[in-house]
Amino acid sequence: MFFRMLIESFVRRRSRKLLAVAAVWIGLSLVIGLLALGLDVGDKLNREMRSFGANIQLQPAEAAVDVRVGGYELVAPGRTVYLDEADLPRLKQIFWRNNILAFAPRLTTQARLAGRSVPLVGTWFNHHVLLEDADPFVTGAAEVFPYWQARGAWPMNPESCLVGAALAQELDLGPGDRVELTTDQRSTSVRIVGVLTSGKDEDEAIVAPLSVVQRLAGLPGKVAEVQISALTTPENKLAERYGRDPQSLTPAEYERWVCTPYPGSVAADIQNAVPGSSARVVRRVAETQGAVLGRIDGLMLLLGIFVLIASTLSIMGVLSSAVLERRGEVALLQAVGAHRADVLRLFLTEAVAIGLAGGVLAALTGQVLGGWLLRVIFDSASEPHGVLLILAPLLGLLIAVAASVPPVWRTVHQQAARLLRGV
Amino acid sequence: MNQSAVLLEYVTRAYPGGVRAVDGVNLKIALGEWVSLMGPSGSGKTTLLNLLDGLDRPTDGCVHVMGQNLLQLDVDEAATFRRENVGLIFQQFHLVSYLTAVENVMLAQYYHSMVDKQEALLALERVQLADRAHHLPSQLSGGEQQRVCIARALINDPKIILADEPTGNLDEDNADRVVKIFQRLHREGRTLVIATHDPDLGRLAQRIVCLRHGQIVEECSPDGSDAAPRATGAGASHDRDVMHVTAS
Ligand SMILES: Nc1ncnc2c1ncn2[C@@H]1O[C@H](COP(=O)(O)OP(=O)(O)OP(=O)(O)O)[C@@H](O)[C@H]1O
Ligand SMILES: [Mg+2]
């Protein structure tokens, strides 16, 4: 009889139940949509935040540590070590290759220009890194340092270069000018195609394609360091412990560390791939990203909670008024002998069914909504989240029960006689 | 005290605002007795019945029904008391809107003991509703709903029947049928308390209790219909012998 009542209640009062299911559905869709967005937003923002610059720096192993013993450098002065440019394609062959978003080598020397000594920086511009089994990977300074601004054009051939904004002003140089660069080894004539603003020491330098600087410095095929922009996960307790003492991790923890793209684990992967290199996490950048991401996540959480509260209240409004409408029925059931628990069980089961139905629908539409938001905001696609498929029905169930039980509970304690009179 | 079906002592039911719908009523109804509650509209008949079935509580006084002190019962115990002792016929029928006639009858079986559809259909047949068994209340006329309500009230063989205007919506034929049911129940020894405006029904009782402004009065004043029969606050009515004849 219990199930009969339940079924009849749904079948014969279809429109009421549909309204209740729709309330749960629509309200929760918003919440789930926001959550879906929140789950994706970290990844997307991480990509966006490359504008903070490189977060891993690759240097020759011996140059990375300034080992000084009693004031003497262990590496003899003048005998600087370099990395081989030919090894750099390996960065796109490592385990975390898809997390390597961009990289640019750097070689610096001093050159004479118009009778004075100026820093000469060599790097890649729109460089095609040839890969064995994939399309060439196009990268360079513009990708690694999105904050570099070139007024004019980027150098596209070995005869062109950029002049730092400060230097350009000092020497009154601009796009179109030809300059003669001279080093101890040789000299070359290049054309300035753009004025560079980087906000750093490049503003005082001539920035030219790497090959030009290699030739002028007499260091063919060599680079002094590589700036790498990698997609990483903000560091957590585990990464911190590894940073303090790698030995303190259990094998399982180590496994997890290796399989998570923490800045440290990506750096270690890179270092293993490039012979004679030492990869260093550029802490400031990595940490800023982590902090900003943490704040964004916090914001999404707050927003999610607000929307959840707002939706919950409106769902509860609809559901509890649907229950209050049936107070006469509650009194009647008690009049024919139902105990409070009997009445509660009936309404509770209905609430569970409504909550689950609305929640399942919301799980689907919420993901669609989240995907749409992601497309609008970040212009990228999202993948469905299994968590939400479970969370949404659960939330629906909780809200529906929370909305239905208190009014039923209050009703079963009221004077049934008064309710039967029609309130 | 054990022989009385109903024992009311100084029972008052006051509503917030000062209305005393039942005002200091003392009433004793013997087991197997048939009592009519009469009185003008608003005199407190429905209120008094609700005090007898435990759906309402007096603001003052004691209520014993079938030997049970209703004031000692909590909500659930009162429900148990009702399903085991009381058959309720409502003035406004009160059927569950999404259940069919037969399902509404089965509902009372369900809370009482076990659902038996055959028996529920039989109960509807007894009130001439076999062909309407699978209709929803909204598809039934007032009189038909009234009869479903009666079938539901009687399905569990209650010891005491509290009926509020049971023939109010019925035509003569159906009213007759209901009266016959009541007479049968009375013969079987059930206690009947029937609130009614209908003098013909009222007159069949062994005793007529008249209410006015919540108080029991000697004389039932006419309430717009035919002159009501003489009533007595307590003791036998002139019909008692007749009833005894039919009972034997
Ligand atoms: N909840 C309430 N609050 C205040 N007054 C009430 C309430 N319920 C009933 N009353 C009053 O109590 C009095 C008795 O009502 P009751 O329904 O018992 O009368 P009745 O004799 O059954 O009338 P009728 O013959 O019209 O059914 C009426 O005056 C009514 O207005
Ligand atoms: Mg009444």
Side-chain angles (χ1 to χ4, degrees), chain A residues 147-172:
Chain A
Y147 53 89
W148 277 23
Q149 305 261 316
R151 186 163 55 78
W154 294 101
M156 286 301 172
N157 59 55
E159 277 82 49
S160 51
C161 72
L162 297 173
V163 60
L167 188 63
Q169 200 165 28
E170 226 177 294
L171 301 182
D172 194 21

Side-chain angles (χ1 to χ4, degrees), chain A residues 7-71:
Chain A
I7 290 165
E8 305 297 23
S9 164
F10 273 90
V11 173
R12 302 224 174 99
R13 297 173 53 107
R14 235 165 295 138
S15 54
R16 300 272 161 177
K17 303 296 188 227
L18 285 179
L19 186 73
V21 169
V24 178
W25 179 18
I26 293 167
L28 275 187
S29 288
L30 272 179
V31 177
I32 296 304
L34 211 65
L35 282 177
L37 181 66
L39 284 177
D40 283 322
V41 88
D43 189 41
K44 304 302 173 200
L45 273 182
N46 216 334
R47 281 176 194 274
E48 300 278 315
M49 278 209 295
R50 266 185 306 133
S51 57
F52 281 79
N55 53 7
I56 293 176
Q57 196 172 23
L58 193 67
Q59 289 179 323
E62 287 158 63
V65 255
D66 302 325
V67 184
R68 286 164 186 274
V69 179

Side-chain angles (χ1 to χ4, degrees), chain A residues 279-298:
Chain A
R280 200 163 60 82
V281 176
V282 181
R283 285 281 160 209
R284 199 174 46 78
V285 172
E287 271 157 22
T288 316
Q289 292 186 358
V292 171
L293 274 186
R295 242 171 271 162
I296 296 285
D297 277 353

Side-chain angles (χ1 to χ4, degrees), chain A residues 418 421, chain B residues 13 15-16 19-22 39-48 91 164-165 195 197 211:
Chain A
R418 202 165 67 84
R421 236 174 235 282
Chain B
R13 177 60 167 107
Y15 287 110
V19 181
R20 292 163 89 85
V22 171
S41 179
S43 57
K45 302 182 294 292
T46 300
T47 306
L48 188 63
Q91 195 168 10
D164 198 352
E165 215 56 71
H197 289 285
L211 280 175

Side-chain angles (χ1 to χ4, degrees), chain A residues 134-382:
Chain A
D135 290 338
F137 178 60
V138 181
T139 187
E143 285 75 29
V144 179
F145 312 109
Y147 53 89
W148 277 23
Q149 305 261 316
R151 186 163 55 78
W154 294 101
M156 286 301 172
N157 59 55
E159 277 82 49
S160 51
C161 72
L162 297 173
V163 60
L167 188 63
Q169 200 165 28
E170 226 177 294
L171 301 182
D172 194 21
L173 293 171
D177 292 340
R178 276 204 99 77
V179 290
E180 187 77 13
L181 299 170
T182 314
T183 61
D184 296 339
Q185 279 79 15
R186 60 200 80 201
S187 79
T188 187
S189 163
V190 288
R191 213 162 60 83
I192 294 172
V193 294
V195 177
L196 173 72
T197 310
S198 77
K200 293 202 181 148
D201 47 8
E202 292 87 4
D203 285 359
E204 313 273 351
I206 297 286
V207 182
L210 182 65
S211 59
V212 175
V213 180
Q214 283 171 337
R215 192 149 33 83
L216 284 173
L219 293 166
K222 298 295 181 192
V223 303
E225 63 175 41
V226 185
Q227 311 276 3
I228 300 159
S229 177
L231 188 62
T232 58
T233 300
E235 298 212 323
N236 61 4
K237 288 259 152 47
L238 184 68
E240 262 172 42
R241 272 176 52 211
Y242 181 88
R244 256 181 282 135
D245 178 14
Q247 303 298 322
S248 70
L249 301 194
T250 64
E253 285 174 332
Y254 179 73
E255 193 70 13
R256 216 168 77 226
W257 181 81
V258 169
C259 294
T260 311
Y262 296 120
S265 30
V266 177
D269 196 16
I270 291 171
Q271 177 173 313
N272 288 338
V274 179
S277 74
S278 162
R280 200 163 60 82
V281 176
V282 181
R283 285 281 160 209
R284 199 174 46 78
V285 172
E287 271 157 22
T288 316
Q289 292 186 358
V292 171
L293 274 186
R295 242 171 271 162
I296 296 285
D297 277 353
L299 196 71
M300 293 298 296
L301 190 70
L302 206 67
L303 206 62
I305 290 174
F306 276 136
V307 172
L308 182 64
I309 291 173
S311 305
T312 304
L313 288 180
S314 67
I315 296 171
M316 283 183 135
V318 173
L319 294 194
S320 54
S321 69
V323 170
L324 288 178
E325 212 179 70
R326 295 169 64 186
R327 275 189 296 184
E329 184 188 331
V330 171
L332 171 61
L333 293 182
Q334 288 184 292
V336 294
H339 283 189
R340 287 170 294 189
D342 296 323
V343 178
L344 208 62
R345 181 148 30 97
L346 179 69
F347 280 78
L348 193 69
T349 317
E350 285 196 18
V352 166
I354 289 170
L356 282 181
V360 166
L361 288 173
L364 304 176
T365 50
Q367 304 246 18
V368 172
L369 184 70
W372 178 77
L373 284 175
L374 202 70
R375 208 161 46 247
V376 169
I377 300 172
F378 292 101
D379 194 26
S380 67
S382 68

